[in-house]
Amino acid sequence: MNEFELIDRFFTRAVPAGGIVRQGVGDDCALLDCGERLLAVTTDLLLEGRHFQPGVDPEALGHKALAVNLSDLAAAGAAPRAFQLALALPRADEAWLQAFCHGMFALADAHGCVLAGGDTTRVPQLGSAQSAPVDGPLTICITAIGDLPREAARTRGGARIGDDLWVSGTLGDARAALDCRQGDLGRVPTKHVATFATRMDWPQPRVALGVALRGLATAAIDVSDGLLGDLAHVLKRSRVGAIIEWDEVPRSEALRSLPLQDQQRCALAGGDDYELLFTAAASRRAEIEAAGAATSVAVARIGRIVDAGDGLRIRDAPGAEVPVPWHAFDHFAG
Ligand code: ADP
Ligand code: MG
């Protein structure tokens, strides 16, 4: 049972008609019906040893814990309004807390997103009679709330055959950062290592672009588990297929300096990009470009939506199929 089968099987239930929940489990945000406005609600958990390593810069961690939630709001086209913070800490370390708050509140303030509540607890020490006690994992869980006009509702499920497929920014750098830290990439110039690290530690949620795409994008998702895995969610919920043109997939100069195989693995199957992947009718190309320009985020047209029977294919410039031996990130794979 993989992560998504588990969620489907145990946590996906019928949503009562006429109730407050307009979009339930299965999208980047839940959408709650509040009359003229919809509230978009999303939760992300960051666990030490799983999502970040012990000793990571607390300021960057505070930023990232909120950023990954704002990225889900961006996918839904919601404007951030408030958030709740649940923390399980090994100890009350003043310097750590100060830096964490600095990172988190700088991003919150930049988006007018107000901390409205939460919960704080101490993680127990782990260990047995035979071994010295060690701290349990630091755990950060944020629930973010945004809003949008009800007619602007956007989910993963609206892509139509013939739509263009777009992505913001560049893909693959965060994965390359992880590979550099694990020593998997051989020798990489220091300036590229720094580019990769910044992308991994300081993701920039595409909130303004997400809002600017209201009424333009037919479907959207934020790329957190890798382009192919996240696109697969859009295709499944929209019941369509897609063709990606590999040469159009946007990559930083740093990523382009790596061997082609590494570029493809990082950009197609890496995670932690927090870019927006979205679809839109071909007639809206000029408006999409304008939305990107107005919000200072590059947007690239990387393919198109096709019939579900054609699945998901990737082609290089001569039209040859790019093989895809990698899987999207899955917490329960294997
Ligand atoms: P994202 O990557 O956008 O944060 P996830 O892949 O974490 O989304 O989750 C997929 C969907 O499953 C989301 O709609 C999320 O709200 C839902 N989900 C995940 N875990 C649970 C859970 N334990 N109970 C209810 N819904 C869940
Ligand atoms: Mg998401």
Side-chain angles (χ1 to χ4, degrees):
M1 189 164 36
N2 73 26
E3 178 183 346
F4 301 105
E5 287 165 350
L6 187 158
I7 294 168
D8 269 354
R9 192 163 143 203
F10 292 98
F11 302 124
T12 307
R13 311 181 75 204
V15 172
I20 192 177
V21 178
R22 171 156 164 185
Q23 165 67 56
V25 171
D27 221 281
D28 291 283
C29 293
L31 297 178
L32 306 184
D33 201 328
C34 297
E36 281 178 15
R37 311 287 290 176
L38 296 174
L39 282 187
V41 183
T42 180
T43 297
D44 270 297
L45 179 77
L46 264 60
L47 187 64
E48 185 178 34
R50 168 64 62 181
H51 299 97
F52 60 92
Q53 291 314 307
V56 69
D57 171 14
E59 187 178 350
L61 189 60
H63 169 93
K64 187 164 178 174
L66 182 60
V68 299
N69 280 277
L70 299 191
S71 180
D72 282 322
L73 293 183
R81 300 294 180 199
F83 68 109
Q84 306 263 119
L85 170 68
L87 271 181
L89 300 168
R91 71 191 75 78
D93 178 333
E94 204 174 315
W96 188 94
L97 283 161
Q98 233 152 32
F100 178 83
C101 285
H102 196 262
M104 182 177 70
F105 286 125
L107 183 66
D109 293 349
H111 291 282
C113 195
V114 178
L115 179 60
D119 196 22
T120 305
T121 188
R122 187 171 185 166
V123 286
Q125 290 199 316
L126 308 174
S128 62
Q130 290 79 36
S131 63
V134 289
D135 290 329
L138 167 63
T139 308
I140 307 158
C141 183
I142 288 182
T143 295
I145 301 163
D147 79 331
L148 64 157
R150 69 181 297 134
E151 65 278 7
R154 176 170 78 216
T155 66
R156 299 171 177 179
R160 289 171 299 220
I161 295 171
D163 278 357
D164 293 326
L165 183 62
W166 297 81
V167 73
S168 65
T170 59
L171 297 177
D173 287 337
R175 178 54 199 242
L178 189 66
D179 287 358
C180 284
R181 276 174 209 184
Q182 294 173 345
D184 293 344
L185 283 181
R187 257 189 59 82
V188 177
T190 315
K191 66 171 185 179
H192 293 337
V193 174
T195 301
F196 295 150
T198 303
R199 287 299 306 273
M200 176 152 114
D201 296 336
W202 295 89
Q204 300 301 318
R206 303 305 190 186
V207 172
L209 178 64
V211 169
L213 291 173
R214 286 178 187 168
L216 287 176
T218 50
I221 190 170
D222 69 317
V223 183
S224 53
D225 293 341
L227 173 66
L228 297 182
D230 287 316
L231 176 57
H233 293 309
V234 172
L235 301 185
K236 188 172 173 206
R237 292 188 77 87
S238 300
R239 300 199 174 90
V240 292
I243 295 179
I244 294 177
E245 307 292 344
W246 161 251
D247 282 30
E248 307 302 327
V249 174
R251 284 154 277 158
S252 67
E253 192 196 320
L255 199 79
R256 284 177 187 274
S257 75
L258 302 182
L260 182 63
Q261 275 285 312
D262 289 326
Q263 290 184 45
Q264 290 183 333
R265 186 175 47 77
C266 291
L268 297 173
D272 262 5
D273 294 307
Y274 302 103
E275 295 294 349
L276 290 185
L277 175 67
F278 56 98
T279 56
S283 60
R284 315 304 293 267
R285 282 177 192 170
E287 291 161 275
I288 303 272
E289 300 278 4
T295 56
S296 305
V297 180
V299 286
R301 191 151 50 81
I302 61 166
R304 65 193 167 83
I305 297 297
V306 297
D307 194 85
D310 294 326
L312 169 53
R313 286 180 295 150
I314 308 162
R315 292 189 311 208
D316 63 15
E321 198 103 356
V322 176
V324 187
W326 323 284
H327 296 286
F329 186 77
D330 176 346
H331 283 287
F332 294 91

